[in-house]
Amino acid sequence: MEAIFIPIVMTLVGALPMKPQESSPFLSQVADHTWIIGNEIWNLTQGPKYGVQLYYKDHDCVGGAVGHYVSYSSAQGADYIDVIFTADEGEMHWVIFSGLAGAYQYFVNRALPVLGEFRTLWRLDNTTFPRGKTNLRDEALPPLSDYIAANKVQDETWLSPDGNGYITKYDFTAWVRAQTYYGVYGDSFGSWYVNPGKDYYNGNHLKQELMVHRESATGDAVQLNMIHGTHFMASSSDVFPDGKMWGPWLWYLNNGSKEDAAKRATEEFASWPYEWFGDAAYQSRGSVTGQLVLSDGRPAANAAVFLGDKTPNKTALDMGSDYYYTSYADANGRFEFQNVRAAHYGMQAWSNGSKIADVTTSFLRNDIAVEKSRTADLGTLTWDVSNKTQIFQVGDFDRMSYGFQYGGAPFQHALVASCPENLVYHVGQSETSDWCFGQTYLGNWTILFDLPKMLNSTIARNATLIVSLAGYSSGASSTIWANGQWIGNLTSDVPGLLNDPSLYRSMTAAGEWRYFEFEFDPDTLFQETSNEITFQMTRSTTLHGFMWDSIILEW
């Protein structure tokens, strides 16, 4: 997807342009549409499109790389200055404190188009920053010499020169809302992002994004800030209200020390939301508390809880116009959201596995009002669950592939190719790990099971097969059979089965969650023993197919 760069002009909040001082942040215009910003520790030359010549410890950290920019696809204090680069689309702010190696940044929407991808990023000198780090991966970025054109297998993915693996930027993906700090670094320099407030991100607990990588065309070390990303989703095209704010986040420079970056991240998380930031809407925050109890009397232990759009017409992962908050219930089903922007929200909850791994329903409550400096106590909330008899369940219901073979393994291109063409799972005998996390080959995956003797099909109104997918990459079709009788299809023509790129972009735990129910005549299951549910893959595309969450048969 072609990036559209935001052209900029410069303004300064609350102060006149300044020349460099020994202990003051400064802004200095050096030519038409060219300025230098910084403080006594660092400085950056900002042109109409790119920020280049990033000097830190007398070293140009950008060098021949592209530098800093903002792109999209289809307050003033005594010790800091707030520099604003403006465009029709919005305002990019640099908040520069004296003594800080780096700057706080935020973007305010004014007229962004409907879009899916919105990001800020650094492309830095690859010799100064040879390594990349997320909370899941810490290793050298592949050398540019390993990107051999003849070995390219798909977008930003190459067969390694020795033929024993793959090079792909998607291996440096991480869970957005679990991230503490990340960036690129070397022996003497480190460039880090710290995003303690994550309410401006799109998506829910399952939001994954690319964090760092090697730019294959130039070799630049890339440090991404995907504040509205779509890399592993079926869709996320949003309209943003005027004034929607992303940030502030901290861009931080140091000597390459991960320990120092971690310490700084701990300090930033402890001080969020930032008291120094004077925006009234940003400072208007309250909290939400409550307890979720299932209709069968169990507490909703460890449930995933989400505050999002108040009358949702999108999945929780696809929401992205406003502000979003994630949490988990405790063992008693109690939950809390702190520092929530004052507004009206809808609250959702779903099983995160554990003691409620059999719960297939979700909870929704609309129009929760959050007011400044007040707590919205929702009390005890009843979550309706199925009252049908469960015949079998393969995999915990948690919207992820955990528990299956390779499920949740470190990100790795083509790992799903290790799953078999044909598979037989014996309920009561097989382990969850005997079922593989993804099905992409032509073949049959069969679940064998017995019916409890007390069940009598004459008193059953129907049987329901629940299929919960952690992800689906289009180009694959499956026919579902019960004892040789057709009961349904899973194809790209089925509503809700749009493509997400998870399986062919290194993901092993989740993509875009999908849920289906197939009702059928229980007389189809006429045998007390050796009944079969079969998923027959009838059309396949390399690395495309089904990532499993849970399969449940109810009576």
Side-chain angles (χ1 to χ4, degrees), residues 20-315:
Q21 304 291 324
E22 289 186 0
S23 60
S24 298
F26 66 85
L27 163 72
S28 179
Q29 185 165 5
V30 295
D32 289 343
H33 305 296
T34 304
W35 306 268
I36 300 177
I37 60 174
N39 60 19
E40 67 275 22
I41 298 176
W42 65 275
N43 65 80
L44 171 77
T45 300
Q46 176 67 61
K49 184 182 294 186
Y50 299 108
V52 296
Q53 292 180 319
L54 169 61
Y55 279 96
Y56 174 58
K57 296 195 292 187
D58 296 323
H59 180 79
D60 182 1
C61 295
V62 171
V66 170
H68 181 271
Y69 58 93
V70 181
S71 72
Y72 62 83
S73 298
S74 222
Q76 167 69 15
D79 59 350
Y80 71 86
I81 59 173
D82 187 341
V83 181
I84 311 173
F85 297 96
T86 62
D88 291 340
E89 293 88 343
E91 307 161 0
M92 180 66 190
H93 293 247
W94 294 67
V95 179
I96 305 172
F97 280 81
S98 177
L100 174 61
Y104 295 95
Q105 299 175 315
Y106 63 101
F107 187 91
V108 181
N109 174 55
R110 294 304 175 208
L112 281 170
V114 177
L115 56 83
E117 182 179 285
F118 185 46
R119 62 187 183 173
T120 74
L121 66 154
W122 283 101
R123 287 172 56 176
L124 298 167
D125 176 63
N126 57 26
T127 58
T128 304
F129 302 96
R131 299 183 63 86
K133 184 187 184 309
T134 71
N135 64 330
L136 299 178
R137 193 178 291 265
D138 181 3
E139 62 188 48
L141 298 172
L144 184 59
S145 58
D146 284 357
Y147 293 74
I148 301 171
N151 287 349
K152 189 168 186 178
V153 296
Q154 65 173 46
D155 69 301
E156 294 302 316
T157 305
W158 291 259
L159 186 67
S160 61
D162 61 11
N164 294 324
Y166 295 92
I167 301 166
T168 176
K169 70 179 184 180
Y170 299 112
D171 284 353
F172 276 97
T173 299
W175 304 97
V176 167
R177 293 180 181 271
Q179 199 64 233
T180 52
Y181 72 99
Y182 68 97
V184 291
Y185 70 100
D187 293 336
S188 301
F189 298 90
S191 179
W192 312 97
Y193 278 132
V194 181
N195 302 70
K198 303 182 187 297
D199 52 2
Y200 46 83
Y201 284 119
N202 59 320
N204 61 2
H205 313 62
L206 303 182
K207 184 71 175 66
Q208 304 167 95
E209 263 308 334
L210 184 60
M211 299 285 172
V212 299
H213 67 90
R214 170 82 70 208
E215 172 55 50
S216 61
T218 63
D220 297 352
V222 180
Q223 181 185 0
L224 282 167
N225 187 30
M226 298 296 305
I227 50 182
H228 191 283
T230 61
H231 275 112
F232 309 101
M233 301 165 61
S235 64
S236 183
S237 185
D238 291 306
V239 177
F240 305 108
D242 184 12
K244 164 68 186 279
M245 180 186 297
W246 288 269
W249 59 82
L250 174 64
W251 162 64
Y252 183 60
L253 287 166
N254 71 3
N255 63 357
S257 167
K258 292 176 288 185
E259 293 75 19
D260 173 68
K263 179 175 181 292
R264 184 74 198 205
T266 299
E267 295 170 355
E268 296 299 322
F269 274 75
S271 60
W272 182 86
Y274 298 121
E275 292 184 0
W276 55 262
F277 191 60
D279 181 80
Y282 175 89
Q283 296 294 348
S284 297
R285 296 175 184 266
S287 60
V288 179
T289 62
Q291 182 181 25
L292 285 164
V293 177
L294 305 180
S295 58
D296 62 13
R298 290 180 291 167
N302 307 117
V305 193
F306 175 76
L307 274 185
D309 297 344
K310 62 181 180 180
T311 52
N313 58 10
K314 296 182 175 183
T315 69

Side-chain angles (χ1 to χ4, degrees), residues 425-502:
Y425 183 97
H426 295 262
V427 174
Q429 300 177 33
S430 299
E431 301 292 334
T432 302
S433 58
D434 293 330
W435 191 267
C436 209
F437 84 107
Q439 183 182 9
T440 61
Y441 294 123
L442 296 177
N444 296 333
W445 285 26
T446 298
I447 301 170
L448 296 178
F449 63 98
D450 300 336
L451 286 178
K453 291 183 179 180
M454 75 284 293
L455 286 180
N456 186 330
S457 64
T458 61
I459 62 172
R461 288 180 295 174
N462 56 58
T464 303
L465 182 70
I466 296 171
V467 178
S468 180
L469 299 176
Y472 169 73
S473 297
S474 64
S477 300
S478 180
T479 302
I480 307 172
W481 306 89
N483 287 348
Q485 299 294 313
W486 175 90
I487 62 172
N489 291 319
L490 289 170
T491 75
S492 300
D493 298 327
V494 173
L497 264 184
L498 298 173
N499 174 69
D500 77 63
S502 55

